[in-house]
């Protein structure tokens, strides 16, 4: 087994809050990330696919295929968007880095061979990042 990875990025705004909580409780839990006027991040994304090397091509996955998949399914859907307002998956889901990573994984998983492992690493800031490899 070998892992290949592709980096990508997108810029997006969001607000961390729960509709069923008061403004005060949202501020206590989410701090400045609960700003009603939203705030943005320059997200860095690393998508990794682990599998066997194909004997005919020498690839685990064609990197152009992976590049286009990330562009079409993730960057086009999230880049320069207000996640809370413009992205259907976050209409009722708090767009934390954790939840964004799971949404990205779910968007990509159907397009990756079932025999291969998929991992998503999402950097919200250079020092804060999450990784998700699916339910075990």
């Amino acid at each position: 087994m070998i892992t290949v990875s592709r980096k990508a990025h997108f810029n997006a705004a969001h607000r961390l809050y729960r509709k069923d909580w008061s403004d005060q409780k949202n501020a206590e839990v989410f701090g400045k990330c609960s700003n009603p006027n939203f705030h943005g991040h320059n997200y860095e994304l690393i998508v990794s696919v682990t599998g066997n090397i194909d004997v005919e091509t020498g690839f685990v996955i064609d990197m152009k295929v992976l590049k286009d998949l990330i562009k079409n399914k993730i960057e086009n859907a999230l880049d320069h968007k207000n996640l809370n307002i413009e992205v259907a998956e976050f209409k009722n889901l708090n767009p934390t880095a954790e939840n964004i990573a799971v949404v990205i994984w779910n968007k990509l998983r159907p397009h990756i061979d079932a025999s291969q492992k998929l991992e998503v690493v999402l950097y919200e800031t250079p020092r804060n990042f999450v990784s998700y490899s699916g339910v075990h």
Side-chain angles (χ1 to χ4, degrees), residues 7-12 14 16 32-33 39-46 95-98 100-101 121-131:
K7 280 187 174 183
H9 71 271
F10 61 92
N11 304 316
H14 69 161
L16 301 184
K32 64 184 179 179
C33 294
H39 68 284
H41 295 282
N42 299 318
Y43 291 95
E44 293 290 333
L45 174 65
I46 301 170
T96 62
E98 295 90 336
I100 297 168
V121 178
L122 182 67
Y123 284 80
E124 192 171 65
T125 72
R127 287 178 276 205
N128 297 336
F129 62 97
V130 299
S131 63

Side-chain angles (χ1 to χ4, degrees), residues 11-15 37-39 78-87 90-91 95:
N11 304 316
H14 69 161
R15 177 184 183 204
N37 294 314
F38 306 93
H39 68 284
L78 303 179
D79 191 36
H80 284 80
K81 299 284 177 29
N82 181 317
L83 300 178
N84 300 75
I85 296 171
E86 298 177 87
V87 179
F90 298 109
K91 293 289 185 192

Side-chain angles (χ1 to χ4, degrees), residues 35-81:
N35 181 339
N37 294 314
F38 306 93
H39 68 284
H41 295 282
N42 299 318
Y43 291 95
E44 293 290 333
L45 174 65
I46 301 170
V47 176
S48 299
V49 178
T50 301
N52 293 313
I53 299 172
D54 183 282
V55 294
E56 291 182 7
T57 65
F59 298 151
V60 170
I61 185 172
D62 184 326
M63 291 301 269
K64 172 131 179 36
V65 169
L66 186 57
K67 172 188 172 186
D68 291 345
L69 183 59
I70 294 167
K71 176 75 172 161
N72 295 329
K73 299 295 179 187
I74 307 307
E75 291 176 281
N76 290 347
L78 303 179
D79 191 36
H80 284 80
K81 299 284 177 29

